[in-house]
Amino acid sequence: MEASGRSRPVQTAAAAILCALSGVALVYFLFAAWHRVRYPYELEWCEGPMVDVVRRLLAGKAIYAAPSLEYTSHEYTPLYYLVAAAFSQVCGLSFFALRLVSVLSFLGALGMLAALTWRETRRRLWAFAAVGMLTATFGTLDGWFTIARTDCLLLLLFLGTIYLLREPGMGYPRAVAAGLLLFLAFFAKQSALVMAAPAMAFAVWRDGRRGIAFAGVAMSLILLSTLLLNAMTDQWYGYYIFKLIGQQKR
């Protein structure tokens, strides 16, 4: 008891330091994001081409088409472009609109991360610390959370999937919702397939038939969307999303 009493001030001080550092990381991110989102020029080389894709989408032109001197498609699934186009209808087509999608998606991902951590630990401190640890990577990742790319939307949707999967006693409605979110994560960026495999294995191991329902919904939607978009684009969708990616050397 005496040792426990002596360690309590140390634990309190450590918790206060952790909370302060997490707060600093979060405030720094919000400050940097506010300034970066409004910057009128490219923050990263891919931002200009991403705006071009959204411009093409708003003009009613195909975004998966045969390459030409005028336009070559990006190797990403279309959800980010669709969301960015909706934001552009309100904010105007600009870097700001596309970056705003990324920042809001990242803030949503932070909320999901906090909710997941709190549910696992029942400690608000650890939930806040998880948020702080992720935002603390902002500088290391060269401000990736604020640029006009698909990754933050993917992160939000995949964390939403995990949140539903971790719910105790997952029922079939929740399994179907998780499968839909996983499909949307893929529709934001196809690299979600790499993360999908362990998520599906976990769901099947933990919940049996409901896990199979989750995996079945996700894979069925992925397959159907791929077949449909391939048919609509004369197979160019599959070429950019799968074949072209497979030919890249990292």
Side-chain angles (χ1 to χ4, degrees):
M1 294 295 294
E2 185 178 355
S4 176
R6 290 178 178 178
S7 65
R8 191 171 295 113
V10 176
Q11 293 175 355
T12 302
I17 293 172
L18 181 60
C19 187
L21 291 175
S22 299
V24 169
L26 180 58
V27 170
Y28 174 75
F29 165 74
L30 293 173
F31 175 80
W34 170 249
H35 289 280
R36 287 171 63 88
V37 165
R38 298 181 299 149
Y39 187 66
Y41 307 108
E42 286 186 344
L43 292 170
E44 197 260 353
W45 71 269
C46 199
E47 286 194 313
M50 297 294 274
V51 173
D52 290 339
V53 175
V54 176
R55 178 182 292 111
R56 191 176 176 90
L57 183 62
L58 290 172
K61 298 180 180 180
I63 60 173
Y64 302 106
S68 66
L69 292 177
E70 176 190 0
Y71 174 77
T72 299
S73 301
H74 270 289
E75 64 275 22
Y76 299 124
T77 41
L79 182 60
Y80 175 80
Y81 304 133
L82 295 170
V83 176
F87 273 67
S88 297
Q89 296 277 27
V90 178
C91 305
L93 180 61
S94 62
F95 293 123
F96 173 80
L98 274 70
R99 291 172 188 155
L100 187 60
V101 175
S102 295
V103 170
L104 293 178
S105 296
F106 182 67
L107 291 175
L110 291 179
M112 282 292 174
L113 181 60
L116 271 167
T117 307
W118 182 84
R119 197 167 66 187
E120 297 292 332
T121 66
R122 298 298 173 178
R123 296 287 300 275
R124 287 189 293 270
L125 172 63
W126 298 129
F128 189 53
V131 169
M133 290 177 67
L134 182 55
T135 52
T137 66
F138 179 72
T140 304
L141 298 176
D142 295 327
W144 200 258
F145 307 135
T146 58
I147 63 175
R149 297 196 63 153
T150 63
D151 303 88
C152 289
L153 184 58
L154 163 65
L155 180 62
L156 169 62
L157 293 167
F158 189 74
L159 284 177
T161 302
I162 298 303
Y163 183 85
L164 292 179
L165 291 180
R166 286 295 296 163
E167 180 70 18
M170 180 177 67
Y172 283 107
R174 190 175 292 270
V176 171
L180 176 60
L181 279 181
L182 184 57
F183 160 69
L184 291 176
F186 161 81
F187 220 48
K189 192 174 184 180
Q190 65 270 41
S191 54
L193 288 175
V194 178
M195 302 181 287
M200 290 179 181
F202 169 79
V204 173
W205 170 77
R206 185 178 186 233
D207 289 291
R209 292 179 180 178
R210 289 172 289 276
I212 293 173
F214 154 70
V217 168
M219 294 309 299
S220 295
L221 290 173
I222 290 171
L223 178 61
L224 288 173
S225 67
T226 300
L227 292 174
L228 178 61
L229 286 172
N230 259 344
M232 293 173 61
T233 62
D234 294 328
Q235 309 301 313
W236 285 110
Y237 174 78
Y239 172 79
Y240 287 108
I241 299 307
F242 297 111
K243 187 174 182 179
L244 189 62
I245 288 290
Q247 293 175 346
Q248 292 182 1
K249 295 181 180 180
R250 301 292 181 179

